[in-house]
Amino acid sequence: MPYRVFKTRLFNVQLGRAIVVSLLCIILGYTVTFWQAVSNTTQQARTRLQQVQQKVDQTLDSAQQVAMTLTEEFGKPCYAVEPLLRMLLTVSPDVHSINLVHGDNIYCSSLYGPVKAHTTFDNYTKGQLVLIRGYEGQPILPLIIYRVVVGNNSIVVKLFGEHLLSELDVLSGGASMSLVVGRQRWQAHKTPTDQDFPLETPGYLESASSNYPFRIITKLSPADYMDSIWRFSKVSLIAWSLLSLLAGVWVFRRNGWINSPTTELRRALDQREFVPYLQPVVSGEDTHWTGCEVLMRWQHPLEGVIPPDRFIPLAEDSGLIIPMTQDLMKQVAEQFAPQAHQLPREFHFAFNISAHHCKDFSLLEDCQTFIHAFRHNPVKLVLELTERELLVANEVTDKLFAELHKLGVLIALDDFGTGNSSLKYLQDFSIDVLKIDRSFVSMIGTGAFSAHIVDNIIDLANRFGLKLVAEGVEYEVQSAYLRARNVTFLQGYLYGRPMPMAEFISKIPG
């Protein structure tokens, strides 16, 4: 049923809005949660980087203190300095060994005493720091070598790398952090490598020392972020999901009240979404345009053009059909009154009128207003009585129809022959025009029994002295049949489909 289709469409719109709100809510909530999680994870990683960097700084500070203790020992024989070197090893657990170097020659070592060995500092970062992968006898144990330059002399302090890396692993909180000196990169429990992360690597973070030429770097992967979200934000995700569901339910119920069919019709009326579509009516004598039927269409902002059978029954049930028809008449008058001189002589506008509209004299006022708008170039006004609601003859309708006839308004009986009240309307009301329903016109030329009903309606109209309008004329054979029987007016796709007012005006014959 059309009304059910209309309600289904409204339900779909209502449900669609609820889903959109829920999705927006959950997208917003998840976005905020993810952003907070990413921000917190990144901040925690930066904090750990700084802690690790500070720990390495402290270790190198200790190495620097060891070196500074020896700056006054240059020039002395190695045997005189060796006890001090061994004592410094004892009090400095991070220190593996200490070498005194003159130029490029090692001449005193805490491990071997006086030595003569050549060395180079070309691979030291800023001549100060270098990482090596091991030393004699223990190739898998890394060393951090720190150098202090004193004139042409150097103090080289070698530190146990595995001790520092173990401490860094604890401070990192399980994150994958690396100590980088130049292009050398060390990571706990992994073989030292010369491969570094490119700066543009997604998730790349670093904390560089301001005192020594090293950096602590890490790379946060999507898995790190997701793990953080699940560990610390799963309650927020659940809460946002529930909130989104509640918001969707609230919007659905709210729209169920706001966008009830009647309320939606009222909103559309306020927004003037009910617009006139005009279908030409031609003369049965020479098929020139003599008028039009004004049909109502709903120009819905989401659904597009909605045909009348989907909303007119509801409009009649709710009583909104009266203001809707009044606005339709106003729109036609506003558009055509200034251009009425372009219309053919005795051009008529036919409006469908419900039984509700005939229960008081507001209809008379509406017709007076419409006719007055064309006072400089008069037109005919036709009211077509529809049979969707039964119109009961009484004192009010008798007087109303009498006053309408005084105005020159013609009363037409729409879809004649399809309703139970058609003949009674002819008896009770002063009818001027009969409209032959399209279901009968479509049978012309088919040999069907219904085609003979057309002849009977034509004969009945002639007996009562009524004008005739044949609806649904689509083929020349139908037109010829009706014109041969002197049907007054013809209407149908053969002469034009219902069209917006602007298009109708552009097609009016000159």
Side-chain angles (χ1 to χ4, degrees):
M1 294 292 292
Y3 175 65
R4 291 180 180 175
V5 172
F6 176 73
K7 288 189 68 175
T8 300
R9 288 298 184 101
L10 281 180
F11 174 83
N12 290 339
V13 171
Q14 178 183 343
L15 180 62
R17 290 174 179 171
I19 292 174
V20 168
V21 169
S22 289
L23 288 176
L24 289 177
C25 232
I26 203 166
I27 290 172
L28 173 63
Y30 279 21
T31 300
V32 170
T33 301
F34 289 162
W35 178 83
Q36 288 178 336
V38 169
S39 178
N40 291 340
T41 302
T42 302
Q43 185 57 45
Q44 291 172 2
R46 291 189 185 279
T47 300
R48 291 194 180 101
L49 282 173
Q50 291 175 357
Q51 292 174 344
V52 171
Q53 173 246 305
Q54 290 171 1
K55 177 60 180 176
V56 177
D57 270 338
Q58 292 172 2
T59 301
L60 293 177
D61 286 342
S62 299
Q64 186 182 51
Q65 291 177 3
V66 169
M68 297 308 293
T69 303
L70 298 170
T71 55
E72 300 297 329
E73 303 302 317
F74 287 108
K76 297 180 181 179
C78 182
Y79 68 85
V81 180
E82 186 177 354
L84 179 59
L85 295 180
R86 297 186 185 278
M87 184 272 294
L88 290 174
L89 285 182
T90 303
V91 299
S92 304
D94 290 332
V95 177
H96 166 264
S97 63
I98 307 169
N99 293 333
L100 299 182
V101 183
H102 178 72
D104 291 333
N105 297 306
I106 302 174
Y107 69 91
C108 189
S109 168
S110 61
L111 294 178
Y112 308 110
V115 293
K116 290 184 179 181
H118 181 76
T119 188
T120 179
F121 301 110
D122 294 341
N123 59 340
Y124 280 57
T125 300
K126 294 187 177 180
Q128 192 177 18
L129 206 61
V130 71
L131 306 179
I132 62 174
R133 300 184 181 184
Y135 56 92
E136 296 82 354
Q138 296 290 340
I140 64 172
L141 294 180
L143 294 176
I144 303 173
I145 303 180
Y146 173 65
R147 176 193 180 209
V148 173
V149 179
V150 182
N152 195 35
N153 301 305
S154 300
I155 303 169
V156 176
V157 181
K158 296 182 180 181
L159 304 170
F160 289 107
E162 72 274 12
H163 294 169
L164 184 58
L165 288 178
S166 296
E167 292 187 24
L168 299 188
D169 188 41
V170 173
L171 290 174
S172 67
S176 177
M177 293 189 180
S178 301
L179 168 65
V180 177
V181 175
R183 291 196 54 81
Q184 297 173 301
R185 178 165 65 93
W186 280 3
Q187 186 176 350
H189 312 304
K190 291 190 177 181
T191 303
T193 177
D194 291 338
Q195 296 178 349
D196 193 3
F197 296 130
L199 291 176
E200 64 274 11
T201 301
Y204 176 89
L205 297 173
E206 72 169 40
S207 180
S209 171
S210 58
N211 299 322
Y212 306 99
F214 75 89
R215 297 171 292 143
I216 304 298
I217 67 172
T218 190
K219 181 180 69 173
L220 296 177
S221 67
D224 294 325
Y225 291 121
M226 295 306 297
D227 179 66
S228 176
I229 290 170
W230 181 245
R231 283 192 296 151
F232 303 110
S233 303
K234 57 185 173 184
V235 175
S236 296
L237 294 178
I238 295 172
W240 274 109
S241 299
L242 292 175
L243 180 62
S244 300
L245 179 61
L246 291 175
V249 171
W250 182 85
V251 169
F252 182 83
R253 298 186 64 180
R254 176 75 174 172
N255 276 270
W257 175 74
I258 293 177
N259 287 329
S260 64
T262 301
T263 307
E264 181 70 5
L265 287 180
R266 188 172 288 108
R267 181 204 62 78
L269 179 61
D270 292 339
Q271 296 298 319
R272 221 174 195 185
E273 293 176 6
F274 299 108
V275 297
Y277 268 53
L278 282 57
Q279 185 173 29
V281 175
V282 303
S283 167
E285 182 179 352
D286 54 14
T287 68
H288 72 272
W289 284 23
T290 60
C292 66
E293 181 180 1
V294 181
L295 303 167
M296 188 181 297
R297 297 290 186 270
W298 186 354
Q299 188 68 53
H300 197 279
L302 298 178
E303 298 292 322
V305 178
I306 300 177
D309 60 344
R310 282 174 50 189
F311 64 89
I312 291 296
L314 176 61
E316 291 176 335
D317 292 342
S318 65
L320 290 174
I321 190 63
I322 295 176
M324 289 163 64
T325 303
Q326 291 170 335
D327 187 64
L328 206 68
M329 296 176 74
K330 288 179 183 178
Q331 291 186 58
V332 172
E334 290 170 359
Q335 180 72 34
F336 281 90
Q339 307 178 65
H341 61 280
Q342 300 179 20
L343 299 173
R345 290 181 65 252
E346 297 188 347
F347 192 86
H348 73 263
F349 290 95
F351 292 88
N352 291 283
I353 302 297
S354 72
H356 276 299
H357 214 159
C358 299
K359 292 181 179 180
D360 58 44
F361 287 91
S362 65
L363 177 59
L364 179 62
E365 296 174 3
D366 298 333
C367 293
Q368 289 172 334
T369 301
F370 185 86
I371 292 172
H372 182 73
F374 292 89
R375 60 190 178 278
H376 299 301
N377 296 281
V379 296
K380 292 287 185 180
L381 176 59
V382 180
L383 300 182
E384 299 185 4
L385 299 179
T386 63
E387 295 190 41
R388 284 186 293 265
E389 293 179 289
L390 180 63
L391 178 60
V392 179
N394 55 35
E395 184 178 346
V396 173
T397 56
D398 291 344
K399 187 175 181 180
L400 174 62
F401 281 36
E403 292 296 325
L404 289 172
H405 278 112
K406 287 180 182 179
L407 282 176
V409 177
L410 300 178
I411 307 299
L413 189 55
D414 197 14
D415 301 330
F416 184 78
T418 61
N420 296 327
S421 60
S422 295
L423 293 176
K424 186 169 178 56
Y425 274 24
L426 287 178
Q427 179 183 348
D428 294 343
F429 304 107
S430 180
I431 303 298
D432 303 295
V433 183
L434 291 184
K435 298 195 72 174
I436 306 173
D437 187 69
R438 65 183 68 247
S439 62
F440 302 132
V441 173
S442 65
M443 295 300 177
I444 294 174
T446 65
F449 174 78
S450 298
H452 298 295
I453 296 178
V454 175
D455 293 332
N456 292 330
I457 296 175
I458 294 173
D459 182 63
L460 180 64
N462 290 334
R463 290 175 182 273
F464 278 85
L466 304 177
K467 296 180 179 181
L468 279 168
V469 178
E471 295 183 291
V473 180
E474 298 185 9
Y475 305 104
E476 284 291 349
V477 64
Q478 297 168 348
S479 175
Y481 184 92
L482 296 166
R483 292 173 64 194
R485 286 156 179 76
N486 298 315
V487 173
T488 320
F489 303 107
L490 307 177
Q491 178 182 349
Y493 288 174
L494 181 62
Y495 306 106
R497 294 175 177 268
M499 62 193 80
M501 290 189 292
E503 182 181 348
F504 185 89
I505 290 173
S506 68
K507 292 184 177 182
I508 295 175

